[in-house]
Amino acid sequence: MVRIVARPLLLLLVGLSVNGCSLALLEKPRLADGPAARDCTTSPVAPILDAAGAGLMVAGIVRVLTYQSDDLLVPDVISDGAMTAILAPPGLLWGYSAARGFGWTSECRGRQSLSEDAIADYLRTLSRTP
């Protein structure tokens, strides 16, 4: 009986400890308009991990809500509502972190390409002047 309760609690603790990679680890682009410096994060790895975590939590909720136990030896220690309440907050945080992370990384890539285009235009004008 303890093993049945310990596994979801362990998953919850692990999930909460790695939640929000994008919110914690990404360097956001500065709020100023125009080209961005090279100090913001362009890699989408952290948002992808957050999206995967959110997907796992959603899959867990779907599994909990659709699972029908025919085995009388395994009692339902935690109700479906309780398991949903356990899995929903980490899933929501992961989803929010993924959405913010994808937005920040795409903005950083776009603003860095603007700065590269601006530098190329400036060099072209320098080469054209006599």
Side-chain angles (χ1 to χ4, degrees):
M1 180 136 147
V2 172
R3 269 180 105 178
I4 295 171
V5 175
R7 184 172 291 159
L9 292 178
L10 179 64
L11 288 173
L12 174 67
L13 290 175
V14 169
L16 289 175
S17 68
V18 297
N19 253 342
C21 293
S22 297
L23 294 176
L25 301 176
L26 288 184
E27 292 291 329
K28 299 180 275 188
R30 287 185 250 152
L31 295 177
D33 289 337
R38 299 278 181 210
D39 58 351
C40 58
T41 305
T42 58
S43 173
V45 172
I48 288 171
L49 291 175
D50 287 338
L56 287 174
M57 290 298 126
V58 169
I61 290 171
V62 168
R63 171 78 170 133
V64 163
L65 295 177
T66 60
Y67 180 70
Q68 297 295 325
S69 175
D70 294 332
D71 190 3
L72 298 176
L73 299 175
V74 180
D76 290 332
V77 177
I78 299 177
S79 69
D80 293 347
M83 280 301 291
T84 303
I86 288 172
L87 295 175
L92 289 173
L93 181 60
W94 262 324
Y96 176 74
S97 180
R100 294 300 302 239
F102 282 123
W104 290 332
T105 56
S106 66
E107 181 182 346
C108 184
R109 283 192 303 271
R111 288 174 65 190
Q112 283 183 359
S113 70
L114 279 177
S115 67
E116 290 171 1
D117 291 342
I119 291 170
D121 290 342
Y122 177 70
L123 291 175
R124 277 189 219 109
T125 58
L126 285 179
S127 65
R128 288 181 191 155
T129 55

